[in-house]
Amino acid sequence: MDPVIDVADLSCRYFRSEAVRGISFTVRPGTIFALLGPNGAGKTTTIRALMNILRPSGGQARVLGIDSRRLGPRERESIGYVSENQELPRWMTVAELLAYCRPFYPAWDDALCRKLTDDFALPLNVTIGRLSRGMRVKAALVSALAYRPKLLVLDEPFSGLDPVVRDDLVHGVLERAGEEEWSVLISSHDLDEVERLVDAVAFLDAGRVVLSEPMATLQARIRRIEVTVAEDRGVPSAEVEPSWIGMAMAGRVVRFTDTAFAGTVSEQRLASIFPGARVDIRAMTLREIFVALARHMRRSQEIQ
């Protein structure tokens, strides 16, 4: 099947500043794909280009098989989009907002709309201006989900919410997306909130893609290694593997991240380089992986 999003060498420039620098990634049908990175990494710029809100300065992006620069009302009938800075008409009640949106989407499902408003405990007769930020996000989500979009695009809509509300929304929306087999692109700088739910990730840093791959392969190949040697002999440079990054030594302890861990093969290699040493190997969280890779990338750029 063709990808729902296919980004190839995409660049976006604001005057003299290049916010996105030749990035590429692919979102497969029926998957939840996370676009991750710190604030200012280029996530929102990328999504705005995908939604045809911002025109890219180079490269190409295709969304549901269409050049992103050609997305119009007809294509948007199949796309649900909710962003952090999305403005809703504050004078409308929730019921009026949903009634206003309904005619724009032929696939609007009244039964699903009612279920979502019930699940989110949305007060239909209260004006949007009187709602809390969390409730306004819920209203935006219902208006974007009620027509069962083929693609759901979420640009940090949960940022700044109460942790309990945020966790409930993230899990509720993404779990429903998995049940409905919707394709989802979600951007976030909070790695913990999406780690257990996404199928694939792309890490952005300073407008560049640090990596893009399925979560399963990412978590399988990266390990944190801590070696306690018998004496302060260090590690000869000739024995350092190219996949070892962020190496640090403190007394008899050597710590680093192995970005190409291969199970028994890697364990045997460590035993040969550090004979008699105690070797501790542990899996890393998504946050730890990103921090390690981002630091390595920045150090490499400084050396160049």
Side-chain angles (χ1 to χ4, degrees), residues 7-21:
V7 178
D9 201 28
L10 187 74
S11 296
C12 296
R13 181 180 292 275
Y14 291 106
F15 300 101
R16 295 184 179 181
S17 175
E18 196 169 26
V20 175
R21 309 179 183 188

Side-chain angles (χ1 to χ4, degrees), residues 76-266:
R76 295 184 191 281
E77 292 175 4
S78 300
I79 301 172
Y81 172 56
V82 179
S83 71
E84 177 183 8
N85 299 316
Q86 191 164 344
E87 291 290 336
L88 300 177
R90 300 175 67 87
W91 54 270
M92 281 188 176
T93 65
V94 174
E96 290 169 340
L97 171 68
L98 298 176
Y100 172 79
C101 292
R102 187 180 186 277
F104 292 100
Y105 302 99
W108 188 278
D109 186 330
D110 286 327
L112 176 59
C113 183
R114 286 192 297 270
K115 184 174 189 336
L116 289 169
T117 55
D118 289 344
D119 289 348
F120 289 160
L122 267 173
L124 293 175
N125 295 319
V126 175
T127 58
I128 291 169
R130 294 179 57 193
L131 296 178
S132 67
R133 170 161 160 69
M135 283 295 181
R136 290 198 300 273
V137 171
K138 290 179 180 180
L141 285 168
V142 173
S143 69
L145 296 174
Y147 50 95
R148 299 184 184 274
K150 294 178 182 177
L151 172 63
L152 179 62
V153 179
L154 303 173
D155 184 14
E156 302 211 49
F158 312 118
S159 178
L161 295 181
D162 174 270
V164 175
V165 174
R166 185 180 65 228
D167 190 66
D168 287 345
L169 282 175
V170 170
H171 286 76
V173 172
L174 296 188
E175 286 175 359
R176 174 170 290 276
E179 294 170 1
E180 300 278 352
E181 296 186 348
W182 294 334
S183 303
V184 180
L185 173 64
I186 179 171
S187 77
S188 179
H189 64 270
D190 190 339
L191 310 185
D192 297 330
E193 72 181 11
V194 299
E195 179 170 5
R196 293 168 293 170
L197 297 166
V198 301
D199 302 300
V201 298
F203 282 129
L204 264 65
D205 187 48
R208 294 187 174 91
V209 169
V210 179
L211 64 82
S212 178
E213 65 183 283
M215 274 290 293
T217 60
L218 175 66
Q219 293 181 319
R221 73 174 175 86
I222 296 186
R223 290 290 186 273
R224 185 63 175 167
I225 311 295
E226 181 175 300
V227 181
T228 305
V229 298
E231 56 187 31
D232 294 341
R233 75 178 190 90
V235 185
S237 58
E239 295 182 320
V240 174
E241 296 286 332
S243 63
W244 295 357
I245 64 172
M247 184 166 287
M249 299 179 61
R252 295 189 299 112
V253 180
V254 181
R255 298 183 180 90
F256 57 90
T257 298
D258 187 352
T259 61
F261 185 77
T264 302
V265 173
S266 295

